[in-house]
Amino acid sequence: DILGEEAGAGIDNVDMRLAAGKGMSFSTEERYPDAEGRDRVWLTTKSTLKDRDGEVDKVFSVSIDISEKKMLEEKAEAMDTFDALTGLPNRPFFMRRVKDAVGQAKRSKTIAGLVVIDLDNLAEIGKSGPEGLADYLVRRAAIRLCAAVGEEDEVARFGHDSFGVLLGRPTSTEEAESAGRKF
């Protein structure tokens, strides 16, 4: 009743299977909205309690709210994958994508295109300009670069003052070179 008919039906189904002797325990992560409509994640474990004759007498359930833990795990995963300043994929993640694209190009006997873009004099600007100017310029460059690439292209922050663009399926080296020049 608390979680609604759809969620309740799934819970009842597991309880009935356990009560019928089909398994002794069950554990899963479940997502349900709370009273304010926010998604909450619960770690639910169910076990059977048997009577003296060894028959299932009750199903015992324990649910622990692990929403904060899941949120922290997702943030940590995002930090491993995305650049905090620009929100773009970071170098290690991008290099895995490049490796995959090169492998795909080899298998399909096509080409892969990669463009590396360096922002000149960023270190000097950072030292001589107002505080935060270099970061501002990097963010602006990321925004402009994302707006300039094609729909199938992937952009990443490659280093402190550089970006990478993985071209989506160039059909020739000339096409890849032409795409690289427009940046």
Side-chain angles (χ1 to χ4, degrees):
D1 291 341
I2 294 171
L3 298 173
E5 202 171 302
E6 186 178 326
I11 293 168
D12 289 345
N13 185 27
V14 171
D15 287 349
M16 286 188 289
R17 289 187 67 219
L18 289 170
K22 297 178 181 171
M24 293 185 58
S25 66
F26 173 84
S27 186
T28 189
E29 289 182 11
E30 304 171 305
R31 288 187 182 267
Y32 300 112
D34 64 11
E36 287 83 41
R38 295 175 304 207
D39 238 10
R40 305 301 292 180
V41 182
W42 300 87
L43 176 61
T44 301
T45 301
K46 297 175 176 282
S47 297
T48 56
L49 301 175
K50 296 184 178 184
D51 62 17
R52 289 184 180 154
D53 298 327
E55 298 295 319
V56 175
D57 185 40
K58 295 176 178 59
V59 175
F60 181 72
S61 298
V62 176
S63 292
I64 302 169
D65 185 349
I66 59 169
S67 303
E68 189 171 327
K69 176 184 180 284
K70 292 301 281 186
M71 180 189 67
L72 292 172
E73 286 174 358
E74 288 167 6
K75 279 186 178 181
E77 185 177 317
M79 288 173 65
D80 285 345
T81 308
F82 295 96
D83 174 62
L85 182 63
T86 63
L88 293 173
N90 61 20
R91 183 184 185 105
F93 178 78
F94 186 67
M95 291 308 296
R96 288 191 297 272
R97 295 289 302 125
V98 168
K99 182 179 177 186
D100 292 345
V102 169
Q104 175 64 33
K106 283 181 180 178
R107 285 189 296 281
S108 61
K109 297 189 183 342
T110 59
I111 64 169
L114 173 65
V115 179
V116 177
I117 301 162
D118 285 318
L119 304 178
D120 290 336
N121 303 320
L122 188 64
E124 289 79 23
I125 292 169
K127 290 177 188 172
S128 63
E131 186 174 334
L133 179 59
D135 287 350
Y136 172 78
L137 293 173
V138 167
R139 282 193 299 272
R140 293 298 305 161
I143 291 167
R144 291 183 72 178
L145 187 56
C146 288
V149 300
E151 199 173 292
E152 291 187 5
D153 300 338
E154 296 182 48
V155 180
R157 185 161 180 210
F158 214 62
H160 174 69
D161 60 353
S162 61
F163 295 90
V165 179
L166 180 60
L167 301 175
R169 304 176 204 253
T171 56
S172 67
T173 54
E174 293 79 20
E175 181 184 331
E177 289 173 4
S178 174
R181 277 192 218 95
K182 78 177 181 179
F183 303 123

